[in-house]
Every structure is written in structure tokens, then in C-alpha cells.
Amino acid sequence: MNIIRFKNVNALREEIFRTPLEQYVLIQLDDRPINLDPIFANRVIDVASELDSTLTYCWFRERQADGTLLDHPVNDYQPGSVRDDFDFGPLVLLNTADVLSATEHFTDKESSMLDGGWYALRLRMTIGKMICMVPEYLYTVERRDYRKSGEKQHDYVDPRNRAYQIEMEQVLTDHLSMIGGLWQQKTETLNYDEQEFPVEASVVIPVRNRAKTIMDAVNSALSQETSFPFNVIVVDNDSTDGTRELLENVEDPRLKLIKVSEDEKLGIGGCWNRALLSEDCGRFAVQLDSDDLYNSVTVLQAIVNKFRSGNYGMVIGSYAMIDFDGNPLPPGIISHTEWTDENGPNNALRINGFGAPRAFFTPVARKFLFPNVSYGEDYAMALRVCRDYGVGRIFRPLYLCRRWDGNSDAALSIEKVNAHNNYKDCLRSFELMARVRASMEEATKDGGFPLPPGFLPEDLFSQLGGDDHFTDFGDDYEDEEDDEF
């Protein structure tokens, strides 16, 4: 079976027309040498034919520099797998008729995108179609990226990739419009002073077994200079390395220590909920991780000022990547400048995070609460908040994110990375379904139905890929962000 190296959509169409027409075309998405297993073609074509799959892909192996083979499983595709960096592996089998149909009206601009139009092609092809992942290792590819997971974590917001990000945002926006999922935010008006709170702001620090770093974080929070009263709520999740004892010895009355026992089975999200629901929680709850720092004594004041300057359910700052000794690390400042008030809630479905530090108007956060997990809990909350409330952004650095060997995501296995991505794709699926339903209800409320042609209420699940595409995480997913949680 011939392999076509994908360059752009126009070149792919020309290659299809130049050769005898086949039901499927095998596309290579990068330049790494590939060795197909003898049964590869028979297996993937048989599965694709049986299921009438528009896009079929499979697990693969990576040959390392020393010649050893590393298994590389990939995730199932879900309705919310709309991020542009979804890992199909370097090979995908596409239904030829679907390729031609999806690209018939592609513009030259789409074909000349920095990714050749691949993102637009696969989003358009998968609307209402079957996507199949074969959980079998059927080929081997040379491994070239040897970076640890923590070093690759912020590729999607690397300032050097800004032009690419702009193009991919437009592709997703067009896709959401096509499936009736483009969100037009109707921001609810907030009255910050409607309720009484013990203090104006609380810095919230969940922690477990961070004796090496916790006092740096606590002192960074307590050193804040503000025109209002604030406190620091540390939720100690049954630490066993001396962290709790260090916290118990702090004499500053502004430190509020919540002691969690092991049998409560709390993840980071559950610890956040304990802080939010505490009687000590202030009007605004501001995040600080147990191994990170604020970069000045004015951060808390800047965040509250931002809340007070507008109508925001959530405020998010920017941060700088540093090593444990304070030296800058690439990609440097993470400002999430891809966010716009007009399209941010839509583009948030494409990217893997919102930024830091994150801060919430406490009544809004109490309304939704965090999922009790230790990875993606912040993304879940931010997705839900931005559907109904404005998000204020501070694009200058406020926060120092320290990368060191003690970070729980410093060197994750491919299985762990997949679990993380799988969960966030699930969150995107939930959010996308909810937005489409809400848009559909709004459109039908007054008897009108201004949705895309052919889009009917009963088509909702099929347009997004079908509810059979949701993944059952079972007991395999829990506490992924921090192994100590």
C-alpha cells in the first residue's frame, strides 16, 4: 500500500486524482522513517471497511537511538478531541471519498496554512462520521523527540508558534460554527458586594508532601501588600514528610490550615472545594501551587483590582517558567495572548490550559465546584466558568512556575500523558455537548432555528461523533497531576 506524505490539501487531492482510485489512502503526517508490519494494510483496511470509518489509526512503536522499541499507544477519538495537537501517530488511513467531499470547497488559503490544512481536513471529515482507533501495534517509527513530558508541556503556547496558533484558532472557530457549537457568550452580571465575606481575598494552596517548597509558597503569599484584608488557606492533604508540622508552626494568624485525612480521598480539586466551602474563604479565591511563587508583593492587589475593574467570574494572570534556582526556562513567559474576550471561550476548547495564577469570584466557584481529581480540575472549572461569565486577563507575568525534578509531571510515561489528554478531551466533550444543546434551545425558543443547514435536534450526537465515542475512565484515572495526591 502506497504511503502519501501529507504536505497540504491541494497536493493530497492531486495525488488522489493522479493514481488509480482506491477506497482508502494512507497518509503520513511527519518525515520519520516508518516500517509497516506485514499485516498492517489488511488489518486497518478490514477494520475501516467493517465500520465504514472515515479516519482509522492505530498504536505504534518507536525505535530509540539504542535500537530498543518503545510502545506508543494512542487515545480514542472523542467528540471533544478538537485540540490541534491530537496524537493520531504519524500514519492515518482516510476514506478517499470522504477526503474529496470534505475538501471540494477548500480555499487556497486553507491549503496553504502552516499545517497544510490538516487540522481543517480532519475536523471537517469527522463531522457525523465514524473514527476508529485500532488498539494494536501495527508499525514502527523512528523516535526523534527525546524531551521529557515536562519539557514539552507548553509547546502549544510557545510564543514562537504564535502565527500557527492564530491559524488553528480560525480553523476551530469555523468548525464550531459548522456544527452549531460556536458560543456567543451572554455574560451574567455579578454583584461582588452582595454577600459578606471574612476577608476580601484568600490565597488557596493545596499541598501534599512538599516540605522542600511549601514555606516558600506560604511566605510568598503572606508577604503580599494589599489595601484590603486577606488570608492564606493551606489545605494539607495528609502529608507525611513534615509538611504539616512546618505549617502548624506558622504563627501568622492569617494562615488558615485545613487538615485533610487520607480516608477522605481528596485530589487537588477536592482540596480546593474544602477551601472554597470553608467559612474562612474570602470574596476572591486565588491560586498558588505548593512549589511555585508570586513574582512580587503586589500580585494579590493586581488580581483584585482586575476583578473590581470589570464583571468577571474569573481572572487569570501570566507566568514565567523558571528552574528551582530561579533561572529562566524556555519557552519563557506564558501569557496566553491567544485569549480574546470575543472568541476566548471557543478557542479554549482547542488548547490545554488557561494560564496562571487563576482566581475566582468565590460564589461562582462554589456554584460549580471542582471535580475531585488531581489533573485537569482547573481546566474543568475554567471551561465551565467561561461559558456563563466573563474572564479577565492580566497579560503581564505575576507568577513564577518552578520546573524541577520534584514536579509530578516532569517525566511522565506515554500512558500517563495519554490519561491526561484523555481526561481533558472528555471535559471538552462535556462542554461542547452542553454548548450545542444550549445554542439549540436558544435557537428554538422563539420558533426560529438558525442553525447550520441539515442540522436537526436528533442529529446532535451524530454531528459530534456519537455518544459511543465517550471513554469510560473506570478506575484507571485518578490523581494524575500530583502523584503524592
Side-chain angles (χ1 to χ4, degrees):
M1 188 175 193
N2 292 330
I3 299 176
I4 301 174
R5 172 66 173 95
F6 182 84
K7 296 179 181 178
N8 58 60
V9 168
N10 286 343
L12 175 58
R13 286 178 61 89
E14 291 173 4
E15 183 68 23
I16 289 173
F17 288 130
R18 187 166 42 243
T19 58
L21 194 61
E22 299 285 348
Q23 185 177 4
Y24 298 100
V25 288
L26 184 59
I27 306 300
Q28 183 173 349
L29 300 176
D30 63 31
D31 291 320
R32 293 179 291 171
I34 292 177
N35 293 315
L36 302 180
D37 287 10
I39 66 168
F40 174 87
N42 286 342
R43 185 66 177 133
V44 295
I45 291 176
D46 182 60
V47 170
S49 300
E50 290 284 346
L51 300 178
D52 191 24
S53 173
T54 192
L55 187 157
T56 307
Y57 60 109
C58 65
W59 293 355
F60 60 100
R61 312 174 201 89
E62 290 184 298
R63 187 179 302 281
Q64 303 188 93
D66 62 2
T68 58
L69 297 180
L70 180 70
D71 288 343
H72 191 120
V74 290
N75 285 337
D76 260 324
Y77 199 87
Q78 302 180 55
S81 298
V82 293
R83 51 194 168 88
D84 57 77
D85 63 349
F86 184 88
D87 183 13
F88 293 100
L91 279 182
V92 292
L93 186 77
L94 303 180
N95 182 292
T96 305
D98 290 344
V99 172
L100 296 177
S101 175
T103 59
E104 183 177 2
H105 301 294
F106 256 54
T107 65
D108 289 339
K109 181 179 179 181
E110 287 174 308
S111 187
S112 63
M113 286 181 172
L114 292 171
D115 72 338
W118 164 246
Y119 185 40
L121 171 60
R122 63 102 160 170
L123 287 180
R124 198 164 301 179
M125 283 187 64
T126 54
I127 297 176
K129 299 286 187 175
M130 172 66 74
I131 307 100
C132 181
M133 188 275 290
V134 182
E136 301 165 16
Y137 299 100
L138 295 175
Y139 64 93
T140 301
V141 64
E142 179 182 319
R143 184 181 183 187
R144 290 180 176 171
D145 190 346
Y146 285 88
R147 292 178 299 162
K148 295 179 180 179
S149 59
E151 296 169 339
K152 296 185 284 187
Q153 184 178 6
H154 297 91
D155 285 356
Y156 74 103
V157 284
D158 190 325
R160 293 169 294 186
N161 300 331
R162 185 71 187 110
Y164 176 88
Q165 296 295 327
I166 292 172
E167 288 187 350
M168 297 306 102
E169 177 177 357
Q170 186 58 55
V171 170
L172 178 65
T173 301
D174 293 343
H175 174 71
L176 294 176
S177 180
M178 193 176 301
I179 65 172
L182 190 65
W183 190 245
Q184 302 296 328
Q185 191 178 57
K186 299 174 178 61
T187 304
E188 294 189 19
T189 301
L190 294 168
N191 182 352
Y192 292 138
D193 299 310
E194 185 176 12
Q195 301 179 37
E196 293 292 329
F197 288 89
V199 291
E200 180 76 348
S202 292
V203 176
V204 177
I205 308 176
V207 63
R208 176 175 169 83
N209 290 341
R210 285 289 185 265
K212 183 175 181 179
T213 61
I214 185 58
M215 292 314 302
D216 292 340
V218 168
N219 290 332
S220 174
L222 290 174
S223 68
Q224 293 297 296
E225 298 176 358
T226 65
S227 62
F228 49 79
F230 73 92
N231 62 26
V232 178
I233 303 177
V234 181
V235 185
D236 178 64
N237 198 1
D238 198 40
S239 291
T240 58
D241 70 339
T243 295
R244 180 170 293 184
E245 288 74 16
L246 288 171
L247 294 167
E248 288 173 332
N249 288 330
V250 175
E251 297 181 354
D252 193 318
R254 295 175 298 169
L255 179 69
K256 309 298 181 182
L257 178 59
I258 297 176
K259 301 176 183 179
V260 174
S261 63
E262 191 278 334
D263 59 10
E264 292 182 66
K265 303 298 182 185
L266 296 188
I268 293 176
C271 290
W272 254 96
N273 292 338
R274 285 289 301 274
L276 285 169
L277 298 174
S278 164
E279 63 181 13
D280 292 316
C281 192
R283 193 180 318 276
F284 303 108
V286 185
Q287 167 251 343
L288 178 60
D289 288 348
S290 59
D291 48 6
D292 295 334
L293 307 166
Y294 294 139
N295 70 351
S296 77
V297 296
T298 63
V299 169
L300 201 54
Q301 183 73 57
I303 290 173
V304 170
N305 287 349
K306 184 66 178 181
F307 272 111
R308 292 288 184 178
S309 72
N311 182 58
Y312 306 118
M314 180 177 182
V315 167
I316 308 172
S318 303
Y319 60 96
M321 302 292 299
I322 62 170
D323 63 21
F324 198 80
D325 297 320
N327 302 307
L329 291 176
I333 296 174
I334 308 298
S335 58
H336 281 275
T337 52
E338 81 287 339
W339 179 273
T340 62
D341 291 340
E342 298 76 21
N343 204 44
N346 293 306
N347 194 41
L349 293 168
R350 183 183 63 84
I351 61 177
N352 257 345
F354 280 71
R358 299 169 293 275
F360 308 92
F361 179 39
T362 297
V364 168
R366 285 174 174 172
K367 178 179 178 180
F368 302 127
L369 295 179
F370 288 84
N372 184 32
V373 295
S374 289
Y375 176 82
E377 76 291 335
D378 53 343
Y379 186 67
M381 175 65 86
L383 276 179
R384 184 62 189 89
V385 170
C386 77
R387 192 198 315 169
D388 293 340
Y389 300 95
V391 176
R393 304 297 307 226
I394 300 175
F395 293 113
R396 63 180 176 85
L398 303 176
Y399 192 87
L400 300 174
C401 181
R402 295 199 288 189
R403 309 304 299 172
W404 59 299
D405 291 341
N407 290 134
S408 55
D409 56 359
L412 299 178
S413 66
I414 183 60
E415 290 80 10
K416 285 278 190 178
V417 171
N418 282 348
H420 287 182
N421 286 328
N422 210 25
Y423 182 62
K424 283 193 174 179
D425 281 354
C426 185
L427 294 174
R428 295 183 186 98
S429 296
F430 295 159
E431 185 62 25
L432 184 54
M433 289 287 190
R435 292 181 185 187
V436 171
R437 285 192 182 279
S439 295
M440 186 167 58
E441 290 170 1
E442 180 68 20
T444 58
K445 186 168 56 177
D446 299 320
F449 204 73
L451 289 177
F455 190 95
L456 301 175
E458 58 267 26
D459 293 332
L460 174 64
F461 284 91
S462 64
Q463 288 281 359
L464 292 174
D467 55 356
D468 289 341
H469 284 248
F470 282 110
T471 300
D472 179 8
F473 295 104
D475 295 327
D476 294 332
Y477 181 81
E478 59 179 21
D479 302 344
E480 294 291 354
E481 183 175 83
D482 192 328
D483 293 338
E484 295 298 335
F485 269 78

